[in-house]
Amino acid sequence: MEEINLNRMINITDFLLEIEHIASDKNIDYIDAVVHYCSKTGMEIETAAALIKKNAKIKAKLKNDAETLGYLPKTAKLPI
């Protein structure tokens, strides 16, 4: 049985705040902020994806970035 290091466990709120901070501080999109965070902390991308799936706000921001960068087809948006 594998031992879990509790010091490496992260709270989803802290993770999302850190991603927001990295994106604004470095002036990069959310996709790059997640990749940067994972490379800085050693977190697996799959672990970050599992945390992201739990929050609709960050999912929407990542989807918007992916559409803007051409990774996903653009979807219709309501006018503001």
Side-chain angles (χ1 to χ4, degrees):
M1 186 170 181
E2 185 179 10
E3 184 179 349
I4 298 173
N5 184 351
L6 296 178
N7 294 331
R8 300 225 355 121
M9 293 182 79
I10 185 166
N11 181 325
I12 188 169
T13 305
D14 294 339
F15 171 75
L16 296 173
L17 288 173
E18 185 64 22
I19 296 302
E20 293 270 350
H21 175 71
I22 292 170
S24 65
D25 190 44
K26 296 190 177 294
N27 198 26
I28 57 177
D29 57 54
Y30 287 92
I31 296 170
D32 289 335
V34 172
V35 172
H36 176 76
Y37 178 85
C38 289
S39 66
K40 183 176 82 170
T41 63
M43 177 184 278
E44 295 287 331
I45 293 290
E46 292 81 8
T47 305
L51 292 172
I52 290 166
K53 286 180 185 179
K54 296 178 182 180
N55 187 281
K57 181 180 172 186
I58 195 80
K59 269 176 47 175
K61 289 179 179 184
L62 286 164
K63 182 180 178 195
N64 186 44
D65 281 351
E67 288 176 1
T68 301
L69 295 169
Y71 298 143
L72 291 174
K74 293 190 186 269
T75 57
K77 294 185 175 37
L78 293 173
I80 296 177

